[in-house]
């Protein structure tokens, strides 16, 4: 064979070895399995302490001693500060002296009144003299009562010089120094801020489009930038109805309670919230796609299950759907009662059992490459088949 004939045979041989792929139809199915169904709403918020108390003094004076500082752990009833007591003790002694003086005067006028009453009953003194004695008794009684009240107030003010913690917590703010004068007028002079860090809350801002799905008791998870690897858990305890509008965006406050035994959460941290509006476990689930499947008879495809029977969708209740269950080589229409759904998966309350195989759709798969029959490109083509282009 010469070289020219060799160059002519090779292209012809390559053209005769052309290949093609055969496509097959496949039925897609899923099994009804139990799992967790969730749907979430996201929000941002700020961490706060549930109980936070501003501790102050109701008396004017000079700070004499401070027993705690920033981050000090305190217990309820613990002495945390003292105000200089000299003036307050002097006020108490003065009040006690006034009480004694008023008591003596009252008892003297009481003796005079009793004597004048006896004389008046015997008509030995005039009505004017008796009424004067009666008036002096009443005035001295009033003065005596006032003096006793002043003594109670002075004693109470002296007690106010010792400041005690009203709650168990941690000091997160100290507003005064030793030697500083605190003045109590209409408002209590603030000395410390004490917060209970064992129990915290997050005030989340939820968009108006999502607030209708948020309810008290729903589970919440959130993270803070201070501990990016940690996930904290809480529950919705309050949905506040007062709206907040900022830059034409309306949000509502949602209160989330969270335990804080390790004191990682501190007031002021920004929290990224995930609120579980649906979070149910151990539910029988199907993908929502299964309710949209409609089978077709596939003549010649012996390997595909064929539909058997039908169901009129107009007869189904609102919470009922039709699914096609694979039974052997048949697709059986089955009515199921549905529950909650997150759009992707839906709870099945009744109608099918666990592990039931349900059809969801058809798909096309490519088979193995099949070599075409060797045919000369110059030979006549079968009817309906175009000739290969040169």
């Amino acid at each position: 064979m010469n070289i020219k004939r060799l160059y002519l045979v090779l292209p012809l041989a390559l053209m005769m070895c052309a290949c093609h792929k055969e496509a097959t139809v496949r039925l897609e199915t899923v099994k009804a399995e139990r799992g967790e169904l969730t749907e979430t709403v996201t929000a941002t918020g700020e961490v706060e302490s549930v109980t936070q108390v501003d501790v102050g003094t109701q008396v004017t004076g000079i700070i004499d001693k401070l027993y705690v500082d920033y981050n000090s752990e305190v217990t309820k009833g613990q002495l945390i500060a003292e105000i200089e007591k000299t003036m307050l003790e002097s006020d108490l002694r003065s009040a006690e002296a006034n009480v004694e003086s008023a008591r003596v005067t009252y008892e003297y006028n009481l003796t005079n009144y009793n004597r004048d009453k006896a004389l008046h009953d015997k008509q030995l003194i005039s009505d004017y003299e008796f009424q004067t004695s009666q008036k002096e008794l009443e005035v001295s009684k009033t003065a005596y009562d006032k003096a006793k009240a002043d003594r109670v107030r002075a004693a109470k003010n002296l007690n106010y010089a010792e400041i005690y913690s009203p709650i168990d917590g941690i000091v997160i703010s100290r507003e005064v120094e030793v030697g500083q004068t605190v003045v109590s007028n209409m408002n209590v002079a603030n000395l410390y801020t004490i917060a209970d860090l064992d129990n915290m809350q997050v005030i989340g801002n939820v968009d108006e489009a999502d607030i209708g799905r948020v309810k008290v008791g729903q589970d919440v998870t959130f993270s803070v930038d201070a501990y990016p690897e940690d996930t904290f858990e809480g529950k919705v305890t309050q949905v506040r109805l007062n709206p907040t509008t900022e830059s034409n965006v309306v949000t509502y406050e949602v209160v989330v309670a969270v335990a804080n035994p390790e004191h990682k959460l501190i007031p002021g941290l920004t929290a990224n919230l995930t609120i579980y509006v649906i979070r149910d476990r151990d539910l029988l689930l199907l993908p929502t796609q299964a309710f949209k499947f409609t089978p077709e008879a596939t003549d010649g495809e012996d390997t595909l299950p064929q539909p058997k029977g039908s169901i009129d969708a107009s007869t189904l209740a609102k919470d009922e759907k039709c699914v096609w269950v694979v039974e052997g080589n048949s697709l059986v229409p089955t009515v199921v009662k549905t529950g909650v759904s997150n759009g992707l998966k839906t709870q099945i309350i009744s109608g099918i059992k666990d592990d039931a195989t349900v059809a969801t759709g058809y798909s096309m798969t490519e088979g193995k490459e099949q070599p075409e029959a060797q045919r000369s490109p110059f030979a006549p083509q079968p009817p309906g088949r175009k000739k290969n282009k040169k």
Side-chain angles (χ1 to χ4, degrees):
M1 182 181 295
N2 58 33
I3 297 178
K4 290 183 178 181
R5 292 189 62 189
L6 179 61
Y7 286 158
L8 180 61
V9 171
L10 286 175
L12 294 176
L14 293 173
M15 294 177 66
M16 287 188 292
C17 291
C19 296
H20 72 281
K21 295 182 179 179
E22 292 183 355
T24 59
V25 180
R26 178 184 175 187
L27 180 67
E28 298 288 342
T29 62
V30 295
K31 285 188 177 293
E33 296 179 338
R34 294 193 172 271
E36 181 181 60
L37 185 68
T38 63
E39 184 178 2
T40 62
V41 167
T42 59
T44 59
E46 183 177 342
V47 178
E48 297 180 355
S49 57
V50 175
T51 305
Q52 181 171 306
V53 180
D54 292 332
V55 182
T57 175
Q58 292 183 322
V59 295
T60 298
I62 298 174
I63 299 297
D64 186 30
K65 296 177 182 178
L66 294 175
Y67 296 107
V68 294
D69 203 347
Y70 284 96
N71 302 329
S72 297
E73 294 188 7
V74 296
T75 58
K76 183 177 181 180
Q78 178 181 338
L79 180 64
I80 58 178
E82 285 188 30
I83 293 177
E84 206 278 326
K85 300 179 181 179
T86 302
M87 295 299 297
L88 298 173
E89 289 173 344
S90 177
D91 291 341
L92 178 59
R93 287 194 296 269
S94 176
E96 290 175 343
N98 290 334
V99 169
E100 184 63 19
S101 176
R103 182 189 65 79
V104 171
T105 301
Y106 168 71
E107 291 178 352
Y108 173 76
N109 288 329
L110 179 61
T111 301
N112 289 339
Y113 170 79
N114 291 332
R115 184 184 65 247
D116 290 346
K117 184 177 186 302
L119 294 175
H120 181 265
D121 291 342
K122 295 178 181 180
Q123 297 183 351
L124 297 177
I125 60 175
S126 65
D127 292 341
Y128 174 78
E129 290 176 315
F130 175 68
Q131 292 172 355
T132 300
S133 178
Q134 187 179 25
K135 176 184 176 182
E136 290 177 348
L137 175 64
E138 292 175 352
V139 170
S140 62
K141 177 64 168 61
T142 301
Y144 183 33
D145 291 340
K146 181 180 181 301
K148 290 190 290 185
D150 289 342
R151 181 180 61 183
V152 171
R153 182 171 62 252
K156 198 70 174 178
N157 286 341
L158 181 59
N159 290 335
Y160 284 147
E162 296 179 347
I163 295 103
Y164 298 89
S165 173
I167 62 171
D168 296 338
I170 293 178
V171 177
I172 62 174
S173 175
R174 176 172 62 84
E175 306 295 337
V176 295
E177 300 287 348
V178 173
Q180 181 176 337
T181 300
V182 289
V183 179
S184 176
N185 294 321
M186 295 298 293
N187 299 320
V188 175
N190 188 40
L191 306 182
Y192 293 102
T193 299
I194 300 176
D196 176 13
L197 297 188
D198 290 331
N199 299 287
M200 304 294 286
Q201 64 184 13
V202 181
I203 308 299
N205 298 310
V206 178
D207 189 85
E208 61 177 323
D210 299 322
I211 193 64
R213 296 183 290 165
V214 179
K215 307 296 180 185
V216 173
Q218 291 173 341
D219 293 335
V220 180
T221 61
F222 67 93
S223 61
V224 295
D225 292 340
Y227 304 98
E229 303 299 325
D230 294 342
T231 299
F232 302 90
E233 296 186 356
K235 283 188 177 293
V236 176
T237 57
Q238 189 179 60
V239 179
R240 295 176 178 174
L241 305 181
N242 185 38
T244 300
T245 304
E246 185 175 348
S247 301
N248 293 327
V249 177
V250 180
T251 59
Y252 292 83
E253 290 186 346
V254 173
V255 181
V256 177
V258 56
N260 188 33
E262 298 180 2
H263 293 178
K264 287 185 175 181
L265 297 175
I266 56 178
L269 292 179
T270 299
N272 300 307
L273 300 166
T274 299
I275 303 172
Y276 289 87
V277 296
I278 298 177
R279 194 180 194 183
D280 294 319
R281 298 177 174 86
D282 195 30
L283 301 182
L284 186 61
L285 302 175
L286 276 180
T288 306
Q289 182 183 358
F291 308 129
K292 302 177 182 179
F293 171 71
T294 301
E296 297 178 1
T298 54
D299 295 336
E301 294 285 350
D302 297 335
T303 60
L304 289 178
Q306 302 298 309
K308 181 180 180 181
S310 63
I311 292 178
D312 185 1
S314 63
T315 63
L316 300 179
K318 185 178 180 180
D319 60 347
E320 292 180 335
K321 301 287 185 182
C322 176
V323 297
W324 294 83
V325 178
V326 179
E327 295 183 0
N329 200 37
S330 300
L331 288 174
V332 180
T334 306
V335 176
V336 296
K337 185 176 182 180
T338 60
V340 293
S341 174
N342 65 357
L344 298 177
K345 292 186 177 181
T346 300
Q347 176 192 12
I348 304 300
I349 297 176
S350 61
I352 59 175
K353 297 181 179 180
D354 293 20
D355 295 328
T357 302
V358 179
T360 60
Y362 293 111
S363 65
M364 302 290 291
T365 59
E366 293 184 350
K368 297 182 179 179
E369 293 185 351
Q370 302 293 334
E372 293 186 353
Q374 296 182 355
R375 179 184 297 274
S376 171
F378 303 104
Q381 300 293 327
R385 180 173 178 179
K386 295 181 181 180
K387 293 183 178 180
N388 293 332
K389 294 182 180 180
K390 293 182 180 178

